[in-house]
Amino acid sequence: MRLRLTIEYDGTPFHGWAAQPGQPTVEAALRDALATTFASVDKRAVAGRRVTGVLAFGSGVSVDVEGGPPPARAAAALNTRLPDEISVVAAEEAAPDFDARHSARARSYRYRLFTRGTPSPFERRRSWWVPRRLDVEALAASAALLLGEHDFRAFTPTETQHGVFVRVVESAEWIPRGDHLDFEITADSYLRHMVRTLVGTMLDGIDLASLLDGADRADAGQTAPPWGLYLVAVAYSRG
């Protein structure tokens, strides 16, 4: 039986998603929970691998399992075996050909700035503290340039495994929320560090218009730290 899991996690104490020898990772914790909940586990896939410090509200995972609780009880069973920083919020049977990565139509991310003049212990590792005055209108105009199809190679490391740099952005905007200013973006897929480098470049005041047609990484700005980045949702065309 193929399961589709929706998981939330706080990536702060983990060394990213992917399993690494001798390091705590989200994938390793989920793998161990699955192995002790089901008699067999195979073909695990995730809707995007993330680096240390990233948080997720709605990450998708697909996995083939046998010999365990039915889907209606799978989330509760797995949560008894997961660390507090990870939670399975939904589990359901999926079509045999559903793949959490390849069946994803779009992914939505949020990058959160904390803009209060003084730091907060509650925001540490939850947002990027930027206490200086920001030109929200200029940031909004920059975000509007991202809509549509563009070559984003300026927003990923020069040394990369990506062969195709064109991505399609469905929506992109800056949203003020009290002491927070959130950048929210939905696209078909992303390059490594793409969202964080977009944020850093916009905060550096660099014009995006000249960078969206295959410019060099050196032409873009800084890469924002990982702890302000949230995977908000994954949209599937089927499953």
Side-chain angles (χ1 to χ4, degrees):
M1 175 179 62
R2 181 154 297 186
L3 279 182
R4 171 179 164 181
L5 306 177
T6 302
I7 67 171
E8 295 178 344
Y9 62 82
D10 175 357
T12 304
F14 300 103
H15 287 257
W17 168 270
Q20 303 174 48
Q23 300 288 358
T25 68
V26 180
E27 183 181 36
L30 181 60
R31 177 197 61 201
D32 292 346
L34 286 164
T36 55
T37 303
F38 297 96
S40 68
V41 179
D42 193 20
K43 297 180 180 178
R44 193 171 56 248
V46 64
R49 295 166 178 259
R50 284 159 290 282
V51 299
T52 301
V54 176
L55 300 98
F57 293 134
S59 184
V61 174
S62 58
V63 60
D64 288 350
V65 298
E66 296 295 341
R73 298 207 304 270
L78 288 167
N79 286 332
T80 64
R81 297 171 170 87
L82 286 167
D84 292 341
E85 294 84 2
I86 306 172
S87 178
V88 177
V89 297
E92 57 188 314
E93 185 172 359
D97 62 345
F98 173 75
D99 182 284
R101 180 182 178 188
H102 297 294
S103 298
R105 180 188 60 78
R107 298 164 177 83
S108 298
Y109 281 91
R110 173 182 302 147
Y111 195 92
R112 168 154 280 196
L113 304 180
F114 183 57
T115 59
R116 195 176 73 181
T118 55
S120 168
F122 304 110
E123 292 293 328
R124 184 176 180 271
R125 301 290 173 172
R126 295 292 182 273
S127 59
W128 185 16
W129 182 45
V130 182
R132 62 184 171 87
R133 183 180 297 275
L134 298 172
D135 187 338
V136 178
E137 289 188 3
L139 290 172
S142 293
L145 297 173
L146 300 174
L147 300 181
E149 183 177 282
H150 302 285
D151 186 326
F152 287 94
R153 75 182 66 216
F155 303 97
T156 194
T158 302
E159 295 184 7
T160 178
Q161 296 181 347
H162 293 293
V164 178
F165 299 89
V166 173
R167 298 293 187 270
V168 179
V169 175
E170 296 181 12
S171 64
E173 60 181 333
W174 286 93
I175 304 174
R177 294 184 170 111
D179 288 330
H180 294 100
L181 180 61
D182 296 341
F183 175 62
E184 302 205 347
I185 182 170
T186 298
D188 58 348
S189 62
Y190 298 83
L191 303 173
R192 184 168 177 258
H193 296 177
M194 176 176 151
V195 177
R196 291 163 53 204
T197 308
L198 284 169
V199 169
T201 300
M202 285 187 277
L203 262 64
D204 285 344
I206 299 173
D207 181 18
L208 294 187
S210 62
L211 301 178
L212 296 173
D213 192 23
D216 292 335
R217 173 64 184 90
D219 296 329
Q222 64 180 311
T223 299
W227 50 80
L229 185 63
Y230 297 74
L231 174 64
V232 176
V234 180
Y236 293 100
S237 54
R238 56 193 175 89

